[in-house]
Amino acid sequence: MEVRIGVQNVARELVFESAQTAEQVQAAVAEALSSGSTLQLQDEKGRLLVVPVASLGYVDVGAPERGKVGFGLS
C-alpha cells in the first residue's frame, strides 16, 4: 500500500510502500494525533519512519499495491 506523508515546511513529501493495511495506518495516525508525540510507520523493507506530529501536514493512504507487470520484478 502506498503511503504519502506531507511534512510542514518541507518541499518534498515522504512516499513509501507499506505492508500495513489502510486500517493499521489510520489507527497509527489517530494514536499519534491523540498522544501528540510522533507518527511511526514501517515500510515494506522494515525501515521505520518517524515524523513529529507537530510537523505533520497530511497523510494520504493509497490503494493496495496491485501485481507488477514487466521486467525488474523483485
Side-chain angles (χ1 to χ4, degrees), residues 3 16-20 25 40-49:
V3 179
F16 62 97
E17 292 291 328
S18 176
Q20 296 172 305
V25 172
Q40 299 182 10
L41 296 172
Q42 196 169 19
D43 72 359
E44 284 186 336
K45 297 178 181 178
R47 294 179 292 202
L48 184 65
L49 288 91

Side-chain angles (χ1 to χ4, degrees), residues 27-42:
V29 171
E31 175 66 29
L33 289 173
S34 66
S35 70
S37 60
T38 58
L39 172 61
Q40 299 182 10
L41 296 172
Q42 196 169 19

Side-chain angles (χ1 to χ4, degrees), residues 1-2 17 61-66:
M1 157 140 344
E2 183 179 79
E17 292 291 328
V61 181
E65 183 180 350
R66 297 182 208 162

